[in-house]
Amino acid sequence: AFGPLLLQRPSRLHLAVASSAGSPSEYAARLSEGSGVAARPLEFTRFGVSLHARPRDVGSLPGVASRRVFVQDGAQQWGVGQLSPVGAGEAVLDLCAAPGGKSRALLLHQPAARLVAVERSRRKAAALRESLAGEGRAAVVCGDATRPEEWAAACGEGGASAVVLDAPCSASGILRTRPEAKVHQSRESVEALCETQQ
């Protein structure tokens, strides 16, 4: 059942491009002209670029290895972009942060803020720390989103100016781009996740 679902993945791929890698228009033009990869800016996102075909080696694209460019669906970029700007040094709290796409997008969209990424799983928190290595404005806390005593101190005395929460989920939001994700859930597991969310 898993194999055929992989074949249902769309051929296009969305990227988030940090300003240090150029504007989305500049990056798309560089891909189209220099690498022969058809690309265009995503109109509804500030940092998004859409590739018309999924390359075999995403890691070879300019800026991916240096973490200035990363794969992220345009709808996810749009959601993070709806957050109002946060003041310099204020904390933005990303709860249930793994695998880190929201965290990386928040760092792009909130250039003055400090990011506090909270993840309950030790394994996922460690991977998130590695993903955000070198980001001086990011702190990763291994803790439970439902227990503020485990992460509130990382926000500082003023607390968090904004909270982004992707509650323990069924991954239904990524089914368009990763249809194989549905084999990892059952009716029972979705019901258990709904209970946790409440």
Side-chain angles (χ1 to χ4, degrees):
F2 190 77
L5 290 171
L6 284 173
L7 297 175
Q8 293 176 17
R9 278 188 173 188
S11 59
R12 71 186 173 283
L13 182 71
H14 292 169
L15 303 173
V17 180
S19 301
S20 59
S23 70
S25 296
E26 292 167 341
Y27 187 83
R30 186 170 17 153
L31 286 181
S32 297
E33 295 162 11
S35 306
V37 177
R40 65 175 174 76
L42 281 172
E43 307 81 30
F44 59 93
T45 68
R46 186 171 158 202
F47 299 101
V49 170
S50 177
L51 309 185
H52 299 270
R54 186 180 291 268
R56 284 181 176 262
D57 182 11
V58 175
S60 68
L61 293 172
V64 172
S66 62
R67 299 180 181 182
R68 295 177 301 142
V69 175
F70 56 95
V71 175
Q72 186 173 51
D73 187 71
Q76 294 168 331
Q77 293 181 52
W78 179 85
V80 169
Q82 299 310 296
L83 188 63
S84 296
V86 171
E90 294 180 16
V92 173
L93 185 60
D94 181 4
L95 296 172
C96 305
K102 285 192 322 302
S103 293
R104 293 178 80 185
L106 282 165
L107 288 168
L108 283 180
H109 286 270
Q110 299 290 338
R114 290 182 305 107
L115 172 71
V116 178
V118 178
E119 174 53 47
R120 182 171 67 177
S121 161
R122 289 188 189 282
R123 180 182 56 78
K124 290 179 180 180
L128 185 57
R129 274 190 199 93
E130 185 177 327
S131 173
L132 297 176
E135 294 288 352
R137 296 183 296 122
V140 177
V141 177
C142 185
D144 189 324
T146 64
R147 297 176 177 226
E149 65 275 12
E150 295 181 7
W151 46 260
C155 294
E157 281 189 28
S161 296
V163 177
V164 177
L165 171 63
D166 184 7
C169 69
S170 62
S172 60
I174 63 168
L175 291 179
R176 182 177 61 83
T177 55
R178 295 188 51 209
E180 72 277 10
K182 62 180 127 184
V183 301
H184 298 295
Q185 297 293 348
S186 66
R187 180 183 188 97
E188 294 77 19
S189 66
V190 170
E191 288 173 355
L193 290 169
C194 289
E195 189 174 321
T196 301
Q197 289 171 4
Q198 294 173 2

